[in-house]
Amino acid sequence: MLYLSTRGHPDRKHFCDILLEGLAPDGGLYLPEHYPQIDDAALTRLRKAYQSQGYAELAFQILSLYIDDIPAADLKALCAKTYTAEVFGTGEIVPLRHLEDGLWLEALSNGPTLAFKDIAMQLLGNLFEYELKRRGEELNILGATSGDTGSAAEYAMRGKEGVRVFMTSPHGRMSAFQQAQMFSLQDENIHNIAIEGVFDDCQDIVKAVSNDLNFKRQYKIGTVNSINWARLLAQVVYYFAGYIQATETNDQKVSFTVPSGNFGNICAGHVARCMGLPIARLVVATNENDVLDEFFRTGVYRVRGSADTHETSSPSMDISKASNFERFIFDLLGRNGQRTKALFSAALQTYGRFDLSADPLFADAAAKYGFESGRSTHADRLATIKDTYHRFGVTIDTHTADGVKVAREHRGDPAVPMIVLETALPIKFAETIQEALGHAPERPARFAGIEALPKRVQVMPADVERVKAYIERHCQ
Ligand SMILES: *Cc1c(COP(=O)(O)O)cnc(C)c1O
């Protein structure tokens, strides 16, 4: 299997080459040259693999279709090491929970940091360690986080050989729980840098460091952001696991509703559907930052400015543009790299928007690719959290609440189960749960009292040179 760029660059690469890279050389995103097809017999084999050998075996079989430069026995061992009941809380790894007639929750948030990003990031940690060792190389991951991504990356990379993490975050702006999760890590290779500024300052620092090509090369700076293909691939597996749990035979279909920000999670659903997994519809749920809902309703993709980007109670979906969206548009345009490049590098740069409303291909977003969308607000989240708690005794987090709200509006055929992806546990967003229910959410026992643990963090002004000097000092 070879990988190409969504912007038409002629190079083709193997999996392990793009594993450690970010964007393609022309600024595009990597995708496989084609999606391997799962026919009825193959789906039956995957069903049996998950049911009798577990999630790690399912992951191994799906990943094998996309990775031809890691020996099978090694890949199998990496999957087995990643997807354990010990790390993810249950043998199913992503169990389904029934809510009401035809509506299910797929639990993706029982990993080390209580958000779905762990599922891909834990695998990425093991893949990075494996590949760096094989090459005799090192990598210094530099990132910016306002919460979920940074902690998932740190818990995935802690103690890994050949990898250091330098994670910037806005000083004093994350919740006490999120700060405690990250700053209580005592591993030598994990560095928390609290920047006196806002999240955008952190992102600007990461960009400035990455744009210094000499520094980047000398200190082997890399990233783990959501455009990484390996993360997306790891997420494809739980669409299969959700489908298999919700159905008994392969002639049944299911639909998914996905709380969306950067379009990474639901893009994995798109890949699964293109592989032939019987998915009826893929419903994009956004919060007040409705860039994606607007596109699927109108055909207009309009990037928001920072004044137009709202701080909401589902903060991991507060995006101004959706960094993985280019992958779907490339497929929608019949994999036309030149047109994709014109939209994402020319039109977006110049006008901040593009308009496909008059293009017959836009109709395919729903008809051929199954996409629908909806939007939710703070008031909707509170009402949905309350309703779900009182009717089913289940407390859901704010992002999942956006999903449940939108899923109810898109139920469609009652014979087709609707699966909402649960993207975080409520304890991470305790303030809003308190507001909705009048009491704090349950805290998993292993997180009791983490706010009181010693913290390992360096506070710094928003100054690129200071951050570079810190990295230099800690790369000896
Ligand atoms: C990252 C995140 C999302 C958004 O996922 P995308 O892949 O960016 O669409 C939704 N909910 C939670 C809790 C997250 O951490």
Side-chain angles (χ1 to χ4, degrees):
M1 173 65 76
L2 291 169
Y3 290 85
L4 46 68
S5 162
T6 51
R7 295 194 186 174
H9 195 283
D11 278 4
R12 295 292 181 270
K13 293 189 173 168
H14 285 276
F15 176 82
C16 288
D17 293 322
I18 64 169
L19 171 67
L20 302 168
E21 263 182 51
L23 296 172
D26 57 358
L29 306 184
Y30 286 112
L31 274 178
E33 279 189 314
H34 65 272
Y35 298 118
Q37 295 301 298
I38 300 294
D39 61 13
D40 184 53
L43 189 53
T44 298
R45 279 197 300 278
L46 292 175
R47 189 184 285 282
K48 291 208 175 110
Y50 183 41
Q51 288 170 345
S52 62
Q53 291 166 274
Y55 191 91
E57 177 63 22
L58 178 69
F60 165 65
Q61 294 198 11
I62 293 172
L63 264 52
S64 297
L65 302 170
Y66 289 91
I67 303 176
D68 58 10
D69 52 351
I70 297 178
D74 291 358
L75 187 60
K76 202 177 172 97
L78 288 166
C79 291
K81 179 176 167 187
T82 303
Y83 297 113
T84 64
E86 199 189 1
V87 174
F88 288 97
T90 64
E92 294 95 342
I93 307 296
V94 292
L96 277 195
R97 181 195 281 167
H98 187 235
L99 272 192
E100 64 191 9
D101 241 12
L103 191 67
W104 302 77
L105 274 184
E106 184 170 355
L108 304 181
S109 311
N110 296 302
T113 74
L114 308 182
F116 82 97
K117 292 188 173 70
D118 287 329
I119 296 189
M121 210 70 97
Q122 288 287 317
L123 180 72
L124 201 66
N126 287 325
L127 283 169
F128 272 26
E129 185 177 53
Y130 173 84
E131 185 59 16
L132 289 167
K133 192 167 183 183
R134 198 158 69 156
R135 296 177 178 212
E137 288 177 12
E138 287 192 350
L139 186 70
N140 293 304
I141 294 165
L142 175 63
T145 190
S146 52
D148 289 345
T149 308
S151 56
E154 291 188 353
Y155 280 75
M157 303 298 166
R158 62 188 298 199
K160 293 278 183 285
E161 270 175 56
V163 189
R164 292 184 196 87
V165 178
F166 297 89
M167 191 57 66
T168 62
S169 60
H171 182 45
R173 287 181 192 251
M174 289 189 297
S175 74
F177 185 84
Q178 284 179 316
Q179 291 186 42
Q181 267 189 317
M182 288 177 54
F183 300 167
S184 63
L185 288 180
Q186 298 298 324
D187 306 74
E188 280 289 316
N189 70 328
I190 304 295
H191 300 274
N192 289 300
I193 305 177
I195 298 291
E196 292 168 332
V198 294
F199 175 63
D200 281 343
D201 296 314
C202 301
Q203 265 193 320
D204 289 346
I205 290 172
V206 171
K207 271 189 209 146
V209 175
S210 303
N211 287 339
D212 181 342
L213 295 182
N214 283 329
F215 186 89
K216 190 178 172 193
R217 201 172 312 117
Q218 185 177 355
Y219 290 100
K220 310 203 175 344
I221 303 291
T223 57
V224 286
N225 48 29
S226 76
I227 57 149
N228 185 294
W229 166 256
R231 277 181 67 180
L232 213 134
L233 177 57
Q235 293 174 338
V236 170
V237 178
Y238 56 67
Y239 283 87
F240 280 83
Y243 174 82
I244 291 167
Q245 291 179 83
T247 59
E248 272 158 18
T249 58
N250 300 345
D251 50 13
Q252 292 173 276
K253 289 193 170 197
V254 306
S255 291
F256 286 93
T257 300
V258 186
S260 293
N262 277 316
F263 204 77
N265 199 353
I266 198 159
C267 194
H270 164 68
V271 172
R273 195 175 183 279
C274 289
M275 292 170 72
L277 187 66
I279 297 175
R281 284 162 311 128
L282 287 167
V283 184
V284 179
T286 74
N287 63 18
E288 292 88 334
N289 296 294
D290 56 358
V291 191
L292 291 167
D293 178 43
E294 181 174 88
F295 174 78
F296 286 105
R297 274 188 298 106
T298 67
V300 175
Y301 181 64
R302 182 173 58 91
V303 167
R304 311 291 200 254
S306 47
D308 249 357
T309 307
H310 311 283
E311 263 185 49
T312 74
S313 47
S314 44
S316 298
M317 291 154 61
D318 292 351
I319 49 116
S320 55
K321 60 179 180 354
S323 53
N324 272 292
F325 192 50
E326 184 169 334
R327 288 194 160 107
F328 171 66
I329 293 295
F330 177 70
D331 282 344
L332 184 70
L333 298 178
R335 302 206 130 198
N336 182 329
Q338 291 318 313
R339 255 198 100 187
T340 306
K341 183 176 179 172
L343 292 183
F344 282 87
S345 71
L348 277 193
Q349 295 301 326
T350 317
Y351 307 110
R353 69 201 289 281
F354 61 74
D355 182 352
L356 295 180
S357 60
D359 194 313
L361 289 174
F362 173 64
D364 286 353
K368 185 168 165 197
Y369 293 104
F371 272 97
E372 291 178 12
S373 72
R375 167 187 197 272
S376 159
T377 64
H378 182 68
D380 293 326
R381 284 188 277 287
L382 294 181
T384 307
I385 291 167
K386 228 172 164 160
D387 172 73
T388 307
Y389 178 74
H390 289 298
R391 288 203 293 142
F392 315 116
V394 175
T395 309
I396 52 175
D397 101 288
T398 52
H399 307 74
T400 308
D402 289 328
V404 170
K405 187 262 180 185
V406 172
R408 288 216 173 99
E409 298 167 346
H410 290 262
R411 283 293 308 278
D413 182 348
V416 176
M418 172 63 84
I419 301 175
V420 178
L421 299 188
E422 176 196 67
T423 55
L425 288 198
I427 185 67
K428 296 196 91 168
F429 306 96
E431 263 176 45
T432 308
I433 305 301
Q434 178 82 40
E435 188 184 344
L437 301 180
H439 64 254
E442 195 183 307
R443 176 183 288 237
R446 67 185 194 273
F447 292 98
I450 58 165
E451 287 90 342
L453 293 175
K455 294 191 169 54
R456 194 161 174 272
V457 56
Q458 180 72 45
V459 181
M460 239 180 257
D463 176 349
V464 179
E465 294 311 316
R466 293 279 294 270
V467 173
K468 279 188 186 164
Y470 183 88
I471 294 173
E472 279 175 34
R473 265 203 316 283
H474 290 87
C475 282
Q476 312 300 338

